[in-house]
Amino acid sequence: MIGREIMRCDIEPLSDRPFEMKVVVHPLSGAALSFSEMSPTHNTHSSQMIEDDHPVFSIVMSGHCTWSQAGRVAEVEAGQGLLTTRGVAGTLRRHVASGIVNVRLDRGLLAAQMPKFEDPLLRPIAGRDTPLALLSGYCRTIAKMERLAT
């Protein structure tokens, strides 16, 4: 249910070991922040699962993943990030147990700032990039604040 209804993907475990998954979602105004930890999987976001075209910026906190979308393929290591969209079918392969932070934004909020939205899709950003380090820190701070509030 979590895969198909919330994450909008089919999740197929890649090993004979027990499947493990932890997902925490933080709804924000005009956005959503999610943290997922999952054993090795192949996730498929098919065209039947598309319900919007919101951009998602993903940061691999641990592990090694491969995204494929819109004819592009990107290998992403821990500490790197990349932009995808929920409006195009694609796949995510978690080669090993991986932790990923996803920041989903409302496409309408970015339309004026990113008229050529497709250009930066699936182009990995290095972990040493200062804006990426700041975003990672903000995400961790939000998660800590949420834990303290409960």
Side-chain angles (χ1 to χ4, degrees):
M1 185 200 133
I2 290 175
R4 288 191 146 255
E5 298 301 320
I6 296 172
M7 296 172 66
R8 306 296 298 161
C9 66
D10 284 321
I11 301 171
E12 177 185 338
L14 291 179
S15 72
D16 294 336
R17 296 173 50 190
F19 174 68
E20 295 182 33
M21 178 171 91
K22 178 182 177 185
V23 178
V24 178
V25 179
H26 303 278
L28 305 167
S29 178
L33 177 63
S34 69
F35 297 85
S36 66
E37 296 174 10
M38 201 175 301
S39 51
T41 59
H42 182 81
N43 302 350
T44 302
H45 176 67
S46 66
S47 58
Q48 293 82 13
M49 294 180 184
I50 295 172
E51 61 182 12
D52 61 58
D53 65 347
H54 297 314
V56 178
F57 189 79
S58 300
I59 304 168
V60 177
M61 302 303 277
S62 63
H64 170 226
C65 302
T66 301
W67 271 267
S68 176
Q69 189 175 53
R72 296 181 183 167
V73 176
E75 297 279 334
V76 184
E77 301 285 341
Q80 295 181 316
L82 83 162
L83 182 67
T84 64
T85 177
R86 290 171 42 113
V88 176
T91 63
L92 163 60
R93 180 175 289 265
R94 294 173 184 249
H95 300 281
V96 296
S98 303
I100 299 175
V101 174
N102 288 306
V103 181
R104 181 193 48 80
L105 300 168
D106 185 305
R107 176 94 182 244
L109 296 174
L110 294 179
Q113 288 79 23
M114 294 181 71
K116 293 187 177 186
F117 177 75
E118 294 74 21
D119 289 350
L121 290 178
L122 267 71
R123 302 209 189 274
I125 297 172
R128 64 186 175 279
D129 187 335
T130 301
L132 180 60
L134 287 172
L135 179 59
S136 296
Y138 294 149
C139 292
R140 284 192 293 272
T141 299
I142 290 170
K144 287 177 187 173
M145 290 171 51
E146 290 285 329
R147 282 194 299 266
L148 293 173
T150 57

